[in-house]
Amino acid sequence: WQAGATEMRGCWTLRKENVLGVQLGLSLGLVEALRVGLEICGVEVVTALRGPVHHLILKGGRLTKVPDLLEWMRLCEVRRLTWDNNLEQDEVDAAPICTTLVEQLELEFVSFQGFRLTDAGIEKIAAAACGAASLQDFQLDGCECSRAGVEKLGEALQGASSLPGADVIGFQPCKGAVVRLDHVTTEQAVKHLKALNNEEVENVRIHNCFVTNTGADKLVGFIKESQTLRRLDLAGCLFFTRDVNKLAEAIRQSSSLQSVDLRASFFTAFDMATILEAIRNAPSLQTIVVEVCDTSDSGMERLSEAILHAASLESVALHGCKFPDSGMCKLAEAIRHAAGLRSLDLHDCHFDDDRAQQLAGAIKEAPALQSFGLHNCRFSDAGMRQLSAGVAQAPALRSIDLHECRFSKQTLAGFLNAIRISGSLKSIDLG
């Protein structure tokens, strides 16, 4: 049985009814990772086991008898620890327990998931991680803390020379002042950064990350040096302002970069101005995806100038825009006169009747526009009628995407009827 059991090597789940089976697996060296549901099996069940456990995965529940668990983890030579709490452990006792586990065990990898942490708590955990001599990769996934807490975490990890995985920490915003650390883990993000040493890398994708100065320097250095980079996807990332300036300069100087995705990234109006200026002057950039945070007259003017004057720009996607009257006028003029613009996607944008009319007029006269997308956008029935008239007369339009747009059956019927006169339209996606 032992000779034929190698296919059972891997991650095992401990339950009360299979304790003897797991113990046998430990004895045979088949348990590379042990998953324990604390609401089903308490610490006393876990600590009764004997054998090497390379990776311990704790799921949910409250962790009691911490000293007993620590001693057991030492005996079993645990080197990797994942604790997924699913936001059950309250913020008062989570940080001390997490800190104790990091400080008193010789762990190489730690991932705490689903904790609510105070600013003080997250600072203590970060300090413990930075002081752990054996720790190589540290992750906080799906945790809730304040924006200030995330900033403290990033600042602490910048000085952690022993943590190769600490220069990028993933997170995603929640409503209000709360930040939720995302399931884009440090380990996953750093794989991308390590891959930057490969001279043939064409695509870099790092989502929902807090990028420290160290991480930004590595990324910017690669963009400037690479002769093969085609696509840079940094959706949902947060950069320090000084690093935004460096990133913008790298985008402007790159001779190979064709696509930049910055949707849902945390740029101030000043940061966005810097990025748009770089986009306008980038020699090879063909596709941009941005979330416009500055809808002031000056902000919309910079966006319009980038669309109109970028040397190679063919595709533009805008997310979450609420256009002021003058801003919509500027954008419409840019669409109308951008000779190279072939694709325009508007996501989660809201148009009243006046803005719909301005957009329709721009689409009607766009000389090269072949693809037009409206994802989850809002129009009144009157606005859709105006838009359909513009789409029907667009000279080069071949496809339109109305995915997740909401309008009545009567409005849809009117839209379809209006675009019948189009001589170029070949594809309609209604989601």
Side-chain angles (χ1 to χ4, degrees):
W1 185 87
Q2 182 177 3
T6 54
E7 64 185 39
M8 299 180 65
R9 188 182 307 276
C11 183
W12 290 42
T13 299
L14 177 65
R15 302 182 182 89
K16 288 184 177 179
E17 63 271 19
N18 72 343
V19 173
L20 292 178
V22 171
Q23 178 58 72
L24 179 59
L26 286 169
S27 301
L28 296 174
L30 301 177
V31 182
E32 295 180 351
L34 180 62
R35 182 183 291 110
V36 179
L38 291 173
E39 70 280 2
I40 300 173
C41 296
V43 172
E44 63 278 0
V45 176
V46 179
T47 53
L49 298 172
R50 291 293 181 270
V53 179
H54 179 65
H55 188 177
L56 178 64
I57 304 169
L58 302 176
K59 304 283 287 187
R62 289 181 174 275
L63 187 56
T64 59
K65 300 183 179 179
V66 176
D68 293 344
L69 182 65
L70 285 170
E71 182 60 28
W72 176 82
M73 291 175 70
R74 291 192 188 96
L75 290 173
C76 294
E77 300 178 351
V78 174
R79 292 293 178 262
R80 298 173 63 86
L81 172 64
T82 300
W83 185 5
D84 183 357
N85 192 56
N86 197 28
L87 296 177
E88 292 180 9
Q89 191 88 1
D90 62 48
E91 60 187 18
V92 175
D93 56 4
I97 294 175
C98 294
T99 301
T100 299
L101 292 171
V102 172
E103 288 178 338
Q104 298 193 23
L105 295 170
E106 295 182 0
L107 297 170
E108 299 172 356
F109 167 88
V110 171
S111 177
F112 294 127
Q113 304 173 6
F115 286 91
R116 293 186 177 93
L117 300 169
T118 62
D119 292 355
I122 200 169
E123 195 169 12
K124 289 179 181 178
I125 293 174
C130 293
S134 60
L135 196 59
Q136 298 176 11
D137 201 348
F138 173 66
Q139 304 175 10
L140 290 177
D141 299 343
C143 295
E144 287 188 357
C145 61
S146 71
R147 179 89 175 215
V150 171
E151 291 174 351
K152 289 180 180 178
L153 175 65
E155 291 169 0
L157 293 176
Q158 283 190 67
S161 58
S162 64
L163 281 171
D167 54 354
V168 184
I169 297 295
F171 78 95
Q172 183 170 337
C174 292
K175 294 180 180 179
V178 175
V179 171
R180 178 185 293 274
L181 298 178
D182 194 17
H183 288 278
V184 178
T185 65
T186 302
E187 187 174 35
Q188 291 169 328
V190 171
K191 285 180 181 178
H192 292 289
L193 291 180
K194 289 181 178 179
L196 302 185
N197 294 322
N198 186 341
E199 295 180 356
E200 298 181 356
V201 170
E202 294 186 358
N203 302 297
V204 172
R205 179 180 180 272
I206 304 175
H207 278 195
N208 303 319
C209 290
F210 173 84
V211 184
T212 64
N213 297 151
T214 303
D217 288 342
K218 290 182 180 179
L219 182 60
V220 166
F222 169 75
I223 296 171
K224 288 183 176 181
E225 296 171 6
S226 175
Q227 301 299 314
T228 61
L229 182 63
R230 299 288 185 268
R231 177 179 172 82
L232 178 64
D233 188 346
L234 301 175
C237 289
L238 173 65
F239 290 81
F240 290 109
T241 294
R242 81 165 184 86
D243 294 326
V244 173
N245 296 331
K246 293 181 179 180
L247 176 64
E249 183 65 14
I251 291 172
R252 189 187 66 80
Q253 292 181 3
S254 174
S255 60
S256 62
L257 191 59
Q258 297 177 357
S259 175
V260 173
D261 189 340
L262 300 172
R263 80 187 78 182
S265 294
F266 296 86
F267 294 126
T268 64
F270 179 80
D271 292 342
M272 183 55 69
T274 305
I275 291 292
L276 289 174
E277 182 65 23
I279 289 171
R280 175 179 175 176
N281 294 286
S284 59
L285 199 59
Q286 298 176 5
T287 300
I288 60 168
V289 184
V290 295
E291 185 158 352
V292 181
C293 57
D294 182 10
T295 55
S296 65
D297 288 349
S298 58
M300 294 305 299
E301 184 173 1
R302 281 188 287 265
L303 173 63
S304 302
E305 289 290 316
I307 294 174
L308 190 58
H309 297 295
S312 304
L313 196 61
E314 297 179 356
S315 177
V316 175
L318 305 177
H319 288 247
C321 299
K322 295 181 180 179
F323 303 108
D325 288 336
S326 57
M328 190 66 229
C329 287
K330 291 182 174 66
L331 180 61
E333 282 299 304
I335 295 170
R336 184 179 284 112
H337 295 107
L341 187 62
R342 289 173 169 76
S343 175
L344 176 65
D345 286 317
L346 303 175
H347 297 247
D348 300 301
C349 298
H350 296 259
F351 299 89
D352 61 16
D353 293 346
D354 290 339
R355 291 169 180 79
Q357 185 176 13
Q358 292 172 333
L359 178 62
I363 298 300
K364 176 182 175 180
E365 299 180 22
L369 192 65
Q370 298 177 5
S371 175
F372 180 42
L374 293 167
H375 300 259
N376 196 32
C377 292
R378 299 290 182 267
F379 293 89
S380 68
D381 289 352
M384 280 301 296
R385 286 194 294 270
Q386 293 168 337
L387 184 63
S388 61
V391 168
Q393 298 179 63
L397 194 63
R398 299 180 62 84
S399 68
I400 184 168
D401 187 348
L402 301 177
H403 199 79
E404 295 186 2
C405 290
R406 299 177 184 177
F407 33 74
S408 66
K409 292 181 179 179
Q410 292 82 0
T411 300
L412 176 59
F415 177 82
L416 295 175
N417 186 60
I419 63 176
R420 286 180 180 178
I421 66 172
S422 172
S424 62
L425 198 60
K426 304 296 182 184
S427 172
I428 304 173
D429 186 350
L430 300 176

